[in-house]
């Protein structure tokens, strides 16, 4: 059962455009929603994260929008650059079992054309 | 800087072989994780450990085992490798059990089982 659904699977954007990646979750116990960025040949790295008590978080060109009632959150990349070309994973976490675990979406491969 | 290292970047094994994947972190983190990454499926948790000699199953533990004899080292073992275990394996660590902390990933081991 996929608890975090991510779309689209791939995205091509022109330089300077806006990239938007969407995620939806089912588990209302999730209480922290990070986005990870992965470049080819590298492991994922935390990009930006949000808690459900705020509707938006912005860090530079990256913004997370969060809709708690709809159980959806999205990543917006403004003024997209070729260097942003990477795979992006949304994730959600709750304290289950003996430690906090991340549940990842399926990933979005972003290509920004020069 | 947190550093998570994995013993091999690429590995080719034959069906039925026993395979060891090693992961070492240098930041005294309590938690360590093993994921496998497959296209269209995102990252799926195999096992995690929140303390030395402690382990818990993730979402897809079948066919795998783990060992954590020292805090900094977490090993993933494929007792009898099969072709459906061909994948990218990612190790991660995070600070402690309860707080919301970033997971730091290694570069991954790409395993091919023939």
């Amino acid at each position: 059962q996929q608890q975090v659904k991510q779309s689209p699977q791939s995205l091509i954007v022109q330089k300077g455009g806006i990239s938007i990646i969407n995620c939806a979750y089912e588990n209302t116990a999730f209480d922290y929603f990070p986005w990870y960025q992965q470049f080819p040949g590298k492991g994922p790295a935390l990009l930006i994260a949000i808690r459900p008590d705020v509707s938006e978080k912005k860090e530079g060109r990256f913004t997370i929008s969060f809709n708690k009632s709809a159980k959806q959150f999205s990543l917006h990349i403004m003024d997209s650059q070729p260097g942003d070309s990477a795979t992006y994973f949304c994730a959600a976490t709750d304290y289950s079992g003996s430690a906090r675990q991340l549940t990842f979406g399926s990933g979005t491969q972003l290509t920004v054309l020069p | 800087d947190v550093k998570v290292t994995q013993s091999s970047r690429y590995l080719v094994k034959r069906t039925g072989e026993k395979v060891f994947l090693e992961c070492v972190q240098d930041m005294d983190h309590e938690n360590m994780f093993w994921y496998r990454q497959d296209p269209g499926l995102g990252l799926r948790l195999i096992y995690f450990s929140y303390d030395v000699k402690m382990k818990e199953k993730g979402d897809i533990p079948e066919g795998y085992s783990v060992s954590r004899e020292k805090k900094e080292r977490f090993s993933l073992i494929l007792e009898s490798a099969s072709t459906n275990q061909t994948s990218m394996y990612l190790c991660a660590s995070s600070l402690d059990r309860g707080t919301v902390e970033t997971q730091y990933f290694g570069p991954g081991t790409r395993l091919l089982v023939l």
Side-chain angles (χ1 to χ4, degrees):
Chain A
Q1 180 187 3
Q2 188 179 12
Q3 293 194 58
V4 180
K5 294 186 178 180
Q6 183 172 347
S7 63
Q9 191 170 1
S10 63
L11 182 62
I12 299 174
V13 174
Q14 292 285 343
K15 179 182 176 182
I18 302 172
S19 303
I20 302 174
I21 304 170
N22 300 299
C23 286
Y25 64 97
E26 299 164 6
N27 184 356
T28 54
F30 288 146
D31 59 2
Y32 185 66
F33 300 86
W35 285 85
Y36 280 75
Q37 179 187 53
Q38 183 181 29
F39 292 107
K42 304 284 187 182
L46 179 67
L47 179 64
I48 187 172
I50 195 168
R51 294 184 183 275
D53 53 349
V54 298
S55 60
E56 186 175 282
K57 183 173 182 180
K58 184 176 180 180
E59 290 183 2
R61 295 183 295 107
F62 300 90
T63 300
I64 301 177
S65 297
F66 189 85
N67 186 330
K68 188 174 181 178
S69 60
K71 293 188 284 186
Q72 295 175 349
F73 59 110
S74 60
L75 176 69
H76 296 236
I77 306 174
M78 310 300 289
D79 187 26
S80 299
Q81 299 296 312
D84 298 331
S85 297
T87 301
Y88 292 81
F89 295 96
C90 62
T93 182
D94 65 338
Y95 195 99
S96 61
S98 302
R100 282 195 166 270
Q101 302 175 43
L102 282 171
T103 301
F104 284 89
S106 55
T108 297
Q109 187 164 354
L110 172 65
T111 302
V112 181
L113 300 175
Chain B
D1 270 359
V2 174
K3 193 165 185 183
V4 179
T5 57
Q6 296 183 228
S7 53
S8 305
R9 295 300 303 272
Y10 301 94
L11 216 48
V12 181
K13 296 293 181 181
R14 298 239 174 241
T15 301
E17 280 192 78
K18 192 168 185 176
V19 182
F20 292 87
L21 303 182
E22 301 283 334
C23 176
V24 177
Q25 50 94 4
D26 67 356
M27 283 302 291
D28 202 35
H29 283 176
E30 289 187 2
N31 300 330
M32 296 188 75
F33 306 83
W34 275 106
Y35 295 89
R36 63 177 283 176
Q37 180 178 3
D38 299 289
L41 296 177
L43 279 70
R44 293 179 292 167
L45 182 64
I46 303 171
Y47 267 97
F48 70 96
S49 168
Y50 55 89
D51 202 351
V52 174
K53 296 191 186 295
M54 305 303 289
K55 61 185 179 183
E56 285 205 14
K57 294 180 180 179
D59 298 321
I60 52 165
E62 297 78 19
Y64 303 95
S65 62
V66 291
S67 172
R68 193 166 181 200
E69 297 295 320
K70 293 184 178 181
K71 190 174 185 179
E72 68 272 17
R73 189 178 297 269
F74 192 33
S75 302
L76 180 69
I77 303 155
L78 287 65
E79 296 289 342
S80 177
S82 63
T83 55
N84 62 12
Q85 292 178 311
T86 290
S87 186
M88 170 70 85
Y89 290 88
L90 290 163
C91 175
S93 71
S94 67
L95 184 60
D96 65 32
R97 292 170 64 174
T99 57
V100 175
E101 290 289 344
T102 302
Q103 286 192 17
Y104 296 88
F105 285 83
T109 296
R110 189 168 292 281
L111 173 66
L112 173 63
V113 182
L114 299 174

